[in-house]
Amino acid sequence: MTCLPEQTTRSLGLVIDLDTCVGCHACVISCKGWNTENYGAPLSDQDPYGADPSGTFLNRVHSYEVQPDNAPAQLVHFPKSCLHCQDAPCVTVCPTGASYKRTEDGIVLVNESDCIGCGLCAWACPYGARELDLAEGVMKKCTLCVDRIYNENLPEEDRTPACVRTCPAGARHFGDLSDPDSDVSRLVAERGGMDLMPEQGTRPVNKYLPPRPRDSWQGEVDVLAPFLEPVAEEPRGLLAWIDKTLEKL
Amino acid sequence: MHPAPSIIAFTTFSGLGLGLLFWLGVDPEAPTGWIGFAFFLIGYLLAGGGLMVSTLHLGRPERALKAFTQWRSSWLSREAWTACAALIVMGLYAALLVFFGVQVHVLGWLGALLCLATVFTTSMIYTQLKTVPRWHHWSTPVLFQLYALGGGALLSGRVITGLVLIGLAALAQAGWWLGGDQRLAASGTTIESATGLGHIGRVRAFEPPHTGSNYLLREMVFVVARKHAQKLRLIALGLMAVLPALLLLLPFGHWLAAVAVLAHVAGVLVSRWLFFAEAEHVVGLYYGKR
Ligand code: SF4
Ligand code: SF4
């Protein structure tokens, strides 16, 4: 059924630290690797070595420039994958029941053998977290590595999503966000974790930790700075004459 | 949104066909015999053909039957149901009319209602999407109904009713465009809310996640030049409303009526192209588009 569960027992998800992410894209590659070799249809590429390469990815890292009014610009690397929303609009639009949200842990999944590849769920997701695989004709999305986190064949430390396990900066955290005492929930509380596009009403489980306050121009202006102010705004004398003459030409 | 030809053709033709079937259903004296056959055939070719074309954009068309399962939550699934119900009921009504000369009015009314319900469910597939603010408004279903009713009336030979409805559709369309231009801004979704970084300062997309294109950009980020959009809007209105009105108000001739219908269909196709091409999906904000 593509109706959403009233409540889920747990809410597994990611906490992504925008202060720590260095934008190395390691999580993108480990995600692509794990999800191509394991559960479900592989993530295909089209024309990978040709002139117009493109492919299916479940996790992508954007980079944004933020320009405060009175401080230096900041560069923020911004990994984005499915946020396993509590009010997931992608689930309710699905006509086949292929998309669903699990009651036990809140993971949003696609049953690939039911998916007709209509693409409506990708339209319904505000975050661009779903991509239709062109080779397979079915919808792909982050599974929160459901085939790792419960996998008893893996050593304990590997039972986290591939992106979390691989991040060299420690910018990605995995846990149960419905438990206020979990490490991830405490991190969110401490650092003011936020929702993306809260006005879309999707109630994402994944949270983003905002960058910590950085340098500002204030208080750092040197005492000698006033002497370095530009002196003449308008050219005078000889310069003015050259300026005028050039203008006339 | 990417203006996929299959979806444009589907919504346009199935809307027209269902509109025609609606008028045949409520007609107190519906055409019988060969004339009836011709009318119903056109209705079915348009409505059924449109539905067939819509399966072309599926990644896995062979599993299309599964789309009937989720009617409780999904408008797309409801559309599948109403479309089939409308075509079956109208088929029965048509068969009795054409082959036995019997008109069962109740059946006709029921079929007509199902035709409108199908157009409604189609429009709700788009209207429900909060991610596309331009569509997410009550006026979208109204617009779809007016298009179907007006075009259907024209096809069924109801000149005055058709012209009045098409005039209303043109007005609604103009209002929908003007309102639609404001809706992304009014939705409150910006690159700042998308990234959550607005409290620090102005946000600009600095570098995309990939050098090539991807599914999201191909499917959901389509930017029409504003200048062209305005021109196309005028062309659409001219073809769908003004030209048919001129042609039909001239001394009436059958071939003029045919040209009027063709002009109307062409106009609806242009407006449907704009419906998709101009629609801004909020995911574009992550890519610094719009
Ligand atoms: S992020 Fe998108 S795909 Fe994931 S649950 Fe939310 S709406 Fe669905
Ligand atoms: S693409 Fe697949 S999962 Fe998505 S709405 Fe269509 S059938 Fe459901």
Side-chain angles (χ1 to χ4, degrees):
Chain A
M1 213 47 307
T2 51
C3 293
L4 288 164
E6 292 269 313
Q7 220 176 350
T8 56
T9 320
R10 296 195 294 162
S11 293
L12 296 185
L14 301 176
V15 171
I16 293 168
D17 191 342
L18 297 179
D19 196 63
T20 314
C21 174
V22 293
C24 70
H25 293 240
C27 53
V28 177
I29 301 308
S30 65
C31 168
K32 178 106 172 174
W34 178 265
N35 286 293
T36 291
E37 290 150 14
N38 294 281
Y39 165 86
L43 303 173
S44 71
D45 288 322
Q46 279 70 41
D47 198 15
Y49 304 106
D52 186 21
S54 81
T56 313
F57 285 81
L58 310 182
N59 177 27
R60 294 183 186 263
V61 181
H62 295 250
S63 297
Y64 297 100
E65 177 200 76
V66 190
Q67 177 67 68
D69 280 339
N70 231 333
Q74 297 176 21
L75 189 58
V76 179
H77 301 293
F78 195 97
K80 184 162 60 57
S81 53
C82 172
L83 295 97
H84 298 279
C85 306
Q86 281 170 283
D87 283 334
C90 57
V91 169
T92 47
V93 299
C94 175
T96 62
S99 280
Y100 62 106
K101 185 169 175 71
R102 308 210 313 176
T103 337
E104 60 270 40
D105 50 19
I107 301 182
V108 175
L109 286 178
V110 176
N111 176 351
E112 290 173 8
S113 57
D114 276 353
C115 173
I116 56 174
C118 65
L120 193 55
C121 54
W123 289 13
C125 170
Y127 309 106
R130 290 178 168 241
E131 300 188 17
L132 191 81
D133 188 82
L134 288 188
E136 205 69 23
V138 296
M139 196 51 74
K140 300 294 296 183
K141 70 176 290 302
C142 158
T143 65
L144 216 57
C145 284
V146 69
D147 50 350
R148 287 174 67 97
I149 57 178
Y150 298 116
N151 193 337
E152 312 250 300
N153 297 322
L154 296 178
E156 176 116 33
E157 67 268 28
D158 281 340
R159 289 181 216 156
T160 58
C163 57
V164 175
R165 185 78 180 93
T166 216
C167 177
R172 308 177 68 97
H173 309 270
F174 165 71
D176 179 7
L177 285 136
S178 68
D179 171 7
D181 293 326
S182 66
D183 286 350
V184 279
S185 296
R186 280 205 301 240
L187 202 52
V188 169
E190 256 165 52
R191 296 272 311 278
M194 58 191 181
D195 289 350
L196 305 185
M197 290 190 190
E199 71 284 351
Q200 285 276 334
T202 53
R203 297 202 298 141
V205 169
N206 287 12
K207 301 282 183 248
Y208 283 77
L209 306 180
R212 292 187 174 89
R214 303 267 173 88
D215 302 348
S216 73
W217 297 127
Q218 255 111 36
E220 286 183 13
V221 182
D222 197 273
V223 279
L224 294 176
F227 295 105
L228 297 172
E229 294 268 320
V231 193
E233 300 288 340
E234 288 287 317
R236 266 178 276 160
L238 180 64
L239 275 180
W241 177 81
I242 294 175
D243 198 51
K244 244 187 268 160
T245 321
L246 282 176
E247 205 113 301
K248 274 189 212 137
L249 288 180
Chain B
M1 305 294 289
H2 170 65
S6 65
I7 308 191
I8 294 171
F10 152 61
T11 59
T12 306
F13 293 123
S14 73
L16 281 170
L18 291 163
L20 171 59
L21 292 176
F22 166 85
W23 288 108
L24 293 171
V26 297
D27 196 338
E29 271 167 53
T32 55
W34 282 110
I35 304 203
F37 182 75
F39 270 118
F40 280 107
L41 185 69
I42 295 174
Y44 269 81
L45 284 179
L46 288 172
L51 289 171
M52 298 298 260
V53 172
S54 76
T55 58
L56 287 183
H57 87 282
L58 297 182
R60 290 291 190 139
E62 75 277 10
R63 299 178 187 153
L65 282 184
K66 289 191 196 271
F68 285 93
T69 58
Q70 305 301 311
W71 51 271
R72 263 178 280 193
S73 52
S74 160
W75 281 106
L76 183 50
S77 186
R78 289 175 197 152
E79 184 202 36
W81 277 103
T82 49
C84 278
L87 291 184
I88 289 170
V89 172
M90 280 314 269
L92 207 62
Y93 172 74
L96 290 172
L97 262 176
V98 171
F99 301 115
F100 304 99
V102 188
Q103 184 171 15
V104 186
H105 289 284
V106 191
L107 218 52
W109 276 96
L110 181 64
L113 210 66
L114 285 168
C115 286
L116 291 192
T118 309
V119 176
F120 178 71
T121 48
T122 305
S123 63
M124 282 310 290
I125 294 173
Y126 306 110
T127 310
Q128 70 177 336
L129 296 174
K130 233 180 161 171
T131 49
V132 185
R134 192 181 282 273
W135 294 346
H136 188 62
H137 194 255
W138 57 265
S139 56
T140 305
V142 175
L143 192 63
F144 273 63
Q145 295 287 352
L146 284 173
Y147 269 119
L149 286 173
L154 213 58
L155 280 175
S156 72
R158 286 169 173 74
V159 174
I160 300 302
T161 322
L163 285 182
V164 170
L165 283 167
I166 285 172
L168 286 176
L171 282 180
Q173 177 69 81
W176 190 87
W177 276 328
L178 293 180
D181 289 345
Q182 322 294 329
R183 248 164 249 146
L184 178 61
S187 75
T189 300
T190 57
I191 191 171
E192 279 79 18
S193 80
T195 56
L197 299 171
H199 64 281
I200 305 176
R202 264 168 300 119
V203 181
R204 188 172 72 92
F206 182 75
E207 207 176 30
H210 38 87
T211 47
S213 188
N214 71 357
Y215 171 75
L216 301 168
L217 291 171
R218 283 190 297 264
E219 183 80 354
M220 281 168 277
V221 184
F222 189 91
V223 183
V224 220
R226 233 189 118 62
K227 202 171 61 194
H228 292 165
Q230 297 298 5
K231 253 183 245 160
L232 283 169
R233 286 175 176 184
L234 290 179
I235 291 174
L237 287 181
L239 283 172
M240 64 139 308
V242 181
L243 200 58
L246 288 178
L247 289 170
L248 289 175
L249 294 177
L250 288 178
F252 195 71
H254 256 304
W255 67 274
L256 276 188
V259 178
V261 169
L262 286 181
H264 175 74
V265 175
V268 181
L269 282 171
V270 176
S271 83
R272 232 10 93 74
W273 186 86
L274 283 169
F275 179 82
F276 290 97
E278 282 194 287
E280 307 92 339
H281 194 290
V282 293
V283 77
L285 296 168
Y286 283 109
Y287 288 86
K289 307 275 169 140
R290 268 183 282 241

